[in-house]
Amino acid sequence: MGKIIAISNQKGGVGKTTTAINVATGLAYANRKVLLVDFDMQGNASQGLSALKGEGQPTVYSVLMEKFPIEKALIHIEESGVDILPANISLAGADLMMDKIGHGKERLLKEALDPLRNRYDYILIDCPPSLGLLNTNALTAADSVLIPVQCEYYALEGVALDHDPDRAANKQSGLEDRGNLDDDVGYSHAFECRSFSRSTANVWQARL
């Protein structure tokens, strides 16, 4: 059964989509069957893999909110060997629509992906920069979470929020933490990285 990994940080601009595309492509290059779920209304992962085909194209929104068959919404990217469930701006209204569903609204993505687990070695979810129902759906569907961060204070704050034990998704999912990925480290960031390391130690000390 394939592993589902959510790539998440509620802070934007920390490299979630870049990480998702590169990890998915690398796994496919290693002969693993990979599905990338673009779960961000900006659709950057879909754009990055040239998966957007124009108006009327079925997307993850179609699958979750319109009950479109997920198998017919998947696109195989020949160049990278990755399958992708694309997203576009239509996903922007999903949070409000999900909120009206009531019971089970946090499990919509999990229920859509579970039938595909035996077809893939890995399913990666490129999460939106938020703590709303889209992100909750992604974390509920996932077995583990990978959190890209930059060596900056506000990126660390995003990590702390994603790991908040009182969040509903974290209580329900039993997620395995795949760790934090420092994805923007350079010589100019040396001081910030030292400060970040000290801050990280303080945040995680109570959790060890």
Side-chain angles (χ1 to χ4, degrees), residues 19-147:
T19 299
I21 292 175
N22 288 340
V23 171
T25 302
L27 288 169
Y29 185 77
N31 296 316
R32 301 297 192 273
K33 295 195 67 176
V34 183
L35 171 63
L36 174 57
V37 178
D38 189 349
F39 213 44
D40 187 345
M41 68 188 72
Q42 299 175 86
N44 290 335
S46 302
Q47 295 172 16
L49 291 176
S50 300
L52 293 179
K53 308 299 182 184
E55 292 186 14
Q57 176 184 4
T59 64
V60 66
Y61 178 88
S62 311
V63 171
L64 297 186
M65 309 313 301
E66 299 171 351
K67 305 304 179 184
F68 189 87
I70 191 170
E71 294 85 358
K72 295 182 179 180
L74 303 180
I75 296 175
H76 179 69
I77 307 301
E78 198 67 40
E79 182 179 1
S80 63
V82 173
D83 287 354
I84 182 168
L85 178 58
N88 57 26
I89 193 62
S90 64
L91 195 58
D95 256 330
L96 290 176
M97 293 188 67
M98 287 178 179
D99 198 40
K100 297 176 183 177
I101 291 175
H103 181 70
K105 59 190 174 185
E106 75 284 348
R107 298 176 58 86
L108 295 176
L109 184 62
K110 175 179 175 58
E111 291 170 359
L113 293 180
D114 276 350
L116 300 180
R117 293 184 70 128
N118 289 329
R119 289 176 48 181
Y120 294 98
D121 297 307
Y122 292 94
I123 298 175
L124 306 180
I125 306 173
D126 182 22
C127 297
S130 75
L131 293 176
L133 275 171
L134 289 178
N135 194 268
T136 300
N137 263 264
L139 296 182
T140 301
D143 303 309
S144 55
V145 59
L146 175 64
I147 305 178

